[in-house]
Amino acid sequence: MTTNWDGNPSENLLLTPGPLTTTPATRRAMQRDWGSRDCDFIELTARIRRRLLAVVGGEAAAMTCVPIQGSGTFAVEAALQTLVPRDGKLLILVNGAYGRRMAEICRVTGRAHEVLEWPEDRPVDPAAVAAALEADRAVTDVAVVHVETTSGLLNPLAEVAEVVATAGRRLHVDAMSSFGAIGIEAGAMQFTSLFASSNKCLEGVPGIGFVIADVVALTCAKGNAVSLALDLEAQWRGLESAGQWRFTPPTHVLAALDAALDQFDAEGGVPGRFTRYSRNCAVLCAGMRELGFTPWLDDALQAPVIVTFRIPDGGWFRFGDFYDSLHARGIVIYPGKLTALDSFRIGCIGAIGEAEIRRALGVIAETVAAMRG
Ligand SMILES: *Cc1c(COP(=O)(O)O)cnc(C)c1O
């Protein structure tokens, strides 16, 4: 594959949870201006909706794709306030910051909710979810984060979906950092909505969130939303009636996403991307271990998306200096987001391969040698 990194130190290598490194082909796709009411732009929107839906096999499961302007959180907020009825109650499964953010969205939009919480290094437990649904008949909907980007942990989505379907409740999935990289088949597991964005594993530029939603659930969701711009049902109706966005669409971002999806297809779709990211993750973890850094999660829980490392003991490591040294050489990493532990994170997603990971490891090795003195 063609990656962004060509040895040119003025180009940033983004080893973060997003926005991520993109390819020159994706960035070049933004060179043209589009009229938002033109036939070719309407066709571009329709094509992208079809392509995103196909990533999870959603057509066969009577689902539709509704894109929305903004970052991923805009799609989460639109989906929850539109698809959880005003008199419903959402059970939120939390083992990190993105689960907590959904609780915050419910608080702001006035949706009754309850949180079931686990430590940030433990997966959500489907049996506990089944028990909670049995105990509280008022719960109508459940929300889960597929890959908790806070830590990099992979939650057992298929098992949770099974439990929620058996209990006859609706499921909403934050698949922001797994969509396009970790297989999800709408035909093989039941969910009412699933949300992601343009700028994570699809390797587009930031600016679009989207929801893959059950058509029947959307049809019944009129009037649920408490916001005009983040009303997913109204956004969907607009797109279905005239093929147009209700408000100014991020035209260039859509063009870039179309180009990014061409590269996604050329790489072999989800299996191809999973293979590359898994290799990135393995090379990163092995290299960091050699340098004395320990990944925080058990290997079995680690998704090939982003890795949390403990801050090493001994007092020599200061994250600010480490970050600055890497950044000065075009490598951007991320601070930790755990509540309980001092940590930092390095992502393995985006338009990067083993060569870029090894390049980053080389810079990290030199930085560590200098910091240890
Ligand atoms: C990135 C991400 C989001 C959305 O974050 P934005 O900053 O709004 O793009 C939501 N959930 C998860 C799990 C994420 O990784």
Side-chain angles (χ1 to χ4, degrees), residues 17-360:
L20 301 168
T21 314
T22 55
T23 64
T26 298
R27 282 175 273 138
R28 268 198 307 275
M30 293 186 286
Q31 297 295 331
R32 167 184 168 193
D33 297 324
W34 299 74
S36 66
R37 294 174 167 271
D38 289 352
C39 286
D40 51 358
F41 182 72
I42 289 172
E43 175 46 34
L44 173 67
T45 297
R47 181 164 67 246
I48 285 180
R49 291 180 66 202
R50 279 197 304 274
R51 297 181 88 171
L52 294 174
L53 191 60
V55 172
V56 293
E59 320 86 323
M63 305 198 92
T64 187
C65 172
V66 187
I68 195 137
Q69 299 92 331
S71 81
T73 304
F74 291 62
V76 182
E77 191 161 322
L80 294 184
Q81 67 167 302
T82 305
L83 296 170
V84 178
R86 289 199 186 193
D87 61 355
K89 181 176 181 184
L90 182 66
L91 177 69
I92 306 167
L93 315 183
V94 173
N95 55 353
Y98 292 99
R100 284 193 291 275
R101 186 177 294 174
M102 291 199 281
E104 180 72 0
I105 286 170
C106 285
R107 195 184 61 71
V108 171
T109 57
R111 286 296 177 281
H113 60 286
E114 187 116 20
V115 163
L116 197 55
E117 191 155 4
W118 290 265
E120 289 173 334
D121 62 347
R122 309 293 343 144
V124 308
D125 172 13
V129 178
L133 292 176
E134 180 64 38
D136 187 353
R137 306 305 302 174
V139 170
T140 52
D141 294 74
V142 177
V144 66
V145 180
H146 189 198
V147 172
E148 226 331 328
T149 325
T150 307
S151 59
L153 183 148
L154 178 66
N155 275 317
L157 177 59
E159 291 80 354
V160 169
E162 176 76 43
V163 158
V164 174
T166 302
R169 306 328 209 279
R170 287 181 292 260
L171 179 66
H172 308 279
V173 184
D174 178 344
M176 208 68 61
S177 65
S178 59
F179 191 93
I182 299 179
I184 299 171
E185 278 300 324
M189 74 176 80
Q190 223 171 299
F191 54 83
T192 295
S193 80
L194 177 148
F195 11 95
S197 71
S198 52
N199 67 274
K200 292 196 173 173
C201 301
L202 295 176
E203 302 183 358
V205 303
I208 301 172
F210 58 88
V211 182
I212 308 290
D214 181 74
V215 170
V216 173
L218 264 180
T219 307
C220 300
K222 192 174 169 64
N224 280 348
V226 293
S227 148
L228 176 69
L230 296 182
D231 183 339
L232 196 74
E233 191 268 345
Q235 181 89 346
W236 172 62
R237 263 190 298 111
L239 286 164
E240 290 291 314
S241 60
Q244 288 176 11
W245 296 60
R246 279 183 305 157
F247 308 121
T248 303
T251 46
H252 300 72
V253 178
L254 274 169
L257 183 56
D258 201 37
L261 285 166
D262 289 342
Q263 297 158 69
F264 174 77
D265 289 345
E267 193 177 7
V270 173
R273 201 140 287 189
F274 180 79
T275 301
R276 174 161 56 87
Y277 289 171
S278 296
R279 177 79 190 148
N280 288 352
C281 187
V283 170
L284 174 69
C285 289
M288 289 297 281
R289 280 199 169 96
E290 264 175 45
L291 294 171
F293 294 94
T294 316
W296 183 60
L297 288 175
D298 287 348
D299 288 350
L301 299 175
Q302 177 71 59
V305 168
I306 191 163
V307 184
T308 298
F309 295 97
R310 295 168 183 280
I311 297 286
D313 297 332
W316 59 273
F317 185 91
R318 279 176 308 280
F319 179 74
D321 296 347
F322 185 68
Y323 180 94
D324 290 344
S325 168
L326 268 54
H327 184 246
R329 299 176 64 184
I331 293 176
V332 181
I333 62 168
Y334 233 57
K337 200 174 180 148
L338 301 176
T339 43
L341 177 88
D342 264 352
S343 61
F344 64 92
R345 291 177 291 170
I346 302 183
C348 32
I349 56 178
I352 56 168
E354 189 177 336
E356 287 72 28
I357 297 287
R358 291 199 186 282
R359 155 90 196 162

